[in-house]
């Protein structure tokens, strides 16, 4: 094992990880509330001509054929929602391909090097969005982003690099808190910037340009302040000011309590059901309560705020296994509640349970996965773990919404709840607390 970092050095690295990840996720979430209007803009620009063979027209024809196959009619209002879901699935699928590659490259060449190359791809992606006066260019920006985004998984790997076994859970909660904070404020900021029109050919150029600004600031910040955290390559200052490689023992494979296959499958099956339910929210709230986009944004902000509070107060103090167990129970309960609710009070009750899930499950699974990886393989193993989750995220919305429109809300959420009970059985019956993680806090 590599020599432990001095507390001050570790604190400095964690500060860089937190600030850079927060900038990255705020930039990433800018586009989320803009998708409906953004895609509507491209549809109105390119789709009025039914004879057009543009990329967007071909995609819309395929989605309409899919929509018309349901046993009950789907309002044309959801054309844009389905298109946004298709783009989300594409992004997740590309992430599933790229994540293991980025992780293995970080094991070989270092976290800092891999992250800076990833940031180059992010800059290209957002720059394409700034210049996206047609749908084809916008689609290219999403493809480049899906193949290059590595900040999240590398932040998790770096946080694990600089944390010992007893610090791991609280450090992962810090990473999770970035998500909650970003999803609380990022969408609102993106929506506000989108109201400022500076380029007639691309009404969303202001939001895109500010997103690009954040990514450039993040990249410069990482270049100036992020040291290498890979244990086998970490450099230490000697007493005379020169730099030398740390001496470390040969890489050792940890004694594994949970197989990576089990952890990855748990991640996949959880995200499969959870992401499907997430994507169904706009359908469900519109059908039951005629929610507008601003009301849906308020609901998502409520979930993000509660999740942020839980990340800082509960998640960081509990053992990662207990965190996962708490989250999957809350998620199963929310599924059954969503299938039967009739009031907005019930909706916000279910949203509170989803906030618990958001604050716990993925953070806990990331911690457990990091415990089972050796120092020389951590990037690749965490990349594989993220890849399985992204496969679930690419399939979940399509499968769940198909069930929602074929069989109805009640059946869809009952099936989702039953699936989440299966995840509960997997978590409680299959996962164990890694021996390295057991300390004074866990009895």
């Amino acid at each position: 094992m590599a020599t432990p970092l001095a507390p001050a050095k570790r604190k400095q690295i964690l500060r860089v990880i937190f600030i850079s990840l927060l900038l990255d996720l705020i930039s990433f979430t800018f586009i989320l509330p803009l998708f409906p209007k953004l895609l509507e803009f491209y549809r109105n620009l390119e789709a009025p001509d039914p004879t057009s063979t543009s990329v967007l027209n071909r995609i819309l024809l395929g989605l309409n054929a899919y929509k018309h196959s349901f046993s009950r009619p789907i309002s044309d209002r959801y054309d844009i929602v389905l298109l946004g879901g298709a783009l989300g699935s594409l992004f997740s699928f590309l992430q599933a391909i790229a994540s293991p590659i980025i992780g293995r490259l970080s094991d070989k060449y270092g976290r800092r090097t891999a992250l800076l190359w990833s940031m180059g791809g992010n800059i290209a992606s957002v720059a394409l969005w700034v210049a996206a006066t047609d749908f084809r260019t916008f689609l290219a920006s999403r493809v480049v982003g899906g193949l290059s985004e590595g900040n999240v998984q590398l932040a998790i790997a770096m946080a694990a690099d600089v944390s010992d076994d007893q610090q791991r859970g609280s450090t992962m909660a810090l990473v999770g808190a970035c998500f909650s904070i970003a999803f609380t404020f990022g969408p609102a900021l993106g929506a506000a910037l989108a109201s400022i029109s500076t380029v007639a050919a691309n009404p969303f150029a202001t939001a895109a340009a500010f997103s690009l600004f954040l990514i450039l600031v993040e990249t410069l910040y990482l270049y100036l302040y992020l040291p290498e955290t890979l244990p086998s390559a970490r450099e230490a200052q000697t007493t005379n000011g020169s730099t030398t490689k740390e001496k470390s023992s040969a890489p050792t494979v940890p004694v594994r309590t949970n197989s990576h296959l089990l952890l990855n499958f748990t991640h996949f099956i959880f995200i499969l059901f959870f992401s499907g339910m997430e994507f169904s929210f706009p359908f469900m709230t519109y059908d039951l309560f005629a929610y507008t986009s601003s009301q849906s944004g308020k609901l998502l902000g409520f979930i993000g705020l509660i999740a942020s509070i839980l990340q800082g107060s509960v998640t960081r103090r509990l053992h990662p296994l207990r965190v996962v167990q708490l989250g999957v129970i809350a998620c199963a309960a929310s599924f059954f509640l969503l299938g039967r609710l009739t009031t907005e009070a019930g909706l916000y009750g279910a949203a509170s349970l989803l906030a618990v899930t958001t604050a716990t499950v993925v953070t806990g699974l990331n911690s457990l996965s990091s415990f089972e990886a050796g120092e020389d393989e951590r990037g690749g193993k965490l990349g594989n773990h993220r890849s399985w989750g992204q496969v679930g995220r690419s399939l979940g919305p399509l499968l769940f919404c198909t069930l929602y429109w074929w069989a109805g809300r009640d059946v869809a959420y009952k099936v989702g709840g039953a699936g989440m009970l299966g995840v509960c059985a997997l978590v409680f019956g299959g996962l164990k607390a890694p021996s390295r993680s057991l300390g004074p806090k866990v009895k």
Side-chain angles (χ1 to χ4, degrees), residues 162-194:
V162 301
S163 302
D164 62 30
D165 294 340
Q166 302 309 316
Q167 297 167 329
R168 191 75 52 83
S170 60
T171 303
M172 292 300 172
L174 181 69
V175 174
C178 288
F179 278 88
S180 300
I181 295 170
F183 277 82
T184 300
F185 299 106
L189 183 56
L193 289 168

Side-chain angles (χ1 to χ4, degrees), residues 67-315:
K67 185 181 71 171
H68 293 149
S69 68
F70 293 113
S71 60
R72 60 185 68 191
I74 303 178
S75 168
D76 288 343
R77 177 184 184 274
Y78 292 121
D79 286 356
I80 296 300
V81 178
L82 291 171
L83 178 57
L87 289 179
S89 292
L90 173 64
F91 186 90
S92 296
F93 177 73
L94 294 173
Q95 278 279 276
I97 295 172
S99 293
I101 298 172
I102 293 172
R104 285 194 292 270
L105 289 175
S106 78
D107 285 334
K108 184 175 182 179
Y109 298 107
R111 313 284 189 236
R112 185 177 186 274
T113 300
L115 182 53
L116 288 174
W117 277 105
S118 172
M119 293 306 300
N122 289 345
I123 291 170
S125 171
V126 183
L128 282 170
W129 181 25
V130 174
T133 57
D134 57 31
F135 179 77
R136 183 174 56 182
T137 306
F138 177 73
L139 181 62
S141 78
R142 301 304 293 169
V143 171
V144 172
L147 290 173
S148 60
E149 170 61 46
N151 194 298
V152 173
Q153 71 181 78
L154 292 176
I156 293 170
M158 291 187 294
D161 288 340
V162 301
S163 302
D164 62 30
D165 294 340
Q166 302 309 316
Q167 297 167 329
R168 191 75 52 83
S170 60
T171 303
M172 292 300 172
L174 181 69
V175 174
C178 288
F179 278 88
S180 300
I181 295 170
F183 277 82
T184 300
F185 299 106
L189 183 56
L193 289 168
S195 66
I196 304 172
S197 181
T198 55
V199 180
N202 181 3
F204 305 93
T206 304
F210 195 79
S211 178
L212 179 60
F213 169 74
L214 291 181
I215 292 293
L216 289 170
V217 170
E218 178 192 0
T219 304
L220 180 62
Y221 180 62
L222 288 169
Y223 180 79
L224 293 176
Y225 296 106
L226 179 68
E228 181 54 64
T229 66
L230 185 66
S232 62
R234 193 186 297 152
E235 291 186 341
Q237 289 290 334
T238 60
T239 55
N240 62 5
S242 62
T243 59
T244 59
K245 294 280 185 181
E246 284 184 352
K247 294 180 179 179
S248 60
S249 58
T252 57
V253 177
V255 177
R256 291 188 173 121
T257 306
N258 303 297
S259 72
H260 282 287
L261 179 61
L262 176 61
L263 287 166
N264 293 343
F265 180 73
T266 303
H267 193 204
F268 163 75
I269 202 70
F270 166 75
I271 293 293
L272 180 72
F273 287 105
F274 183 72
S275 64
M277 178 270 298
E278 274 186 316
F279 187 70
S280 73
F281 244 59
F283 298 101
M284 187 266 294
T285 55
Y286 177 75
D287 287 338
L288 291 181
F289 308 112
Y291 261 26
T292 63
S293 297
S294 62
Q295 287 173 306
S296 295
K298 179 182 176 183
L299 181 62
L300 293 175
F302 171 79
I303 293 173
L305 178 62
I306 299 299
S308 299
I309 295 170
L310 292 173
Q311 288 277 7
S313 59
V314 177
T315 305

Side-chain angles (χ1 to χ4, degrees), residues 358-369:
T358 301
T360 52
V361 180
V362 173
T363 297
L365 287 174
N366 284 333
S367 295
L368 292 175
S369 184

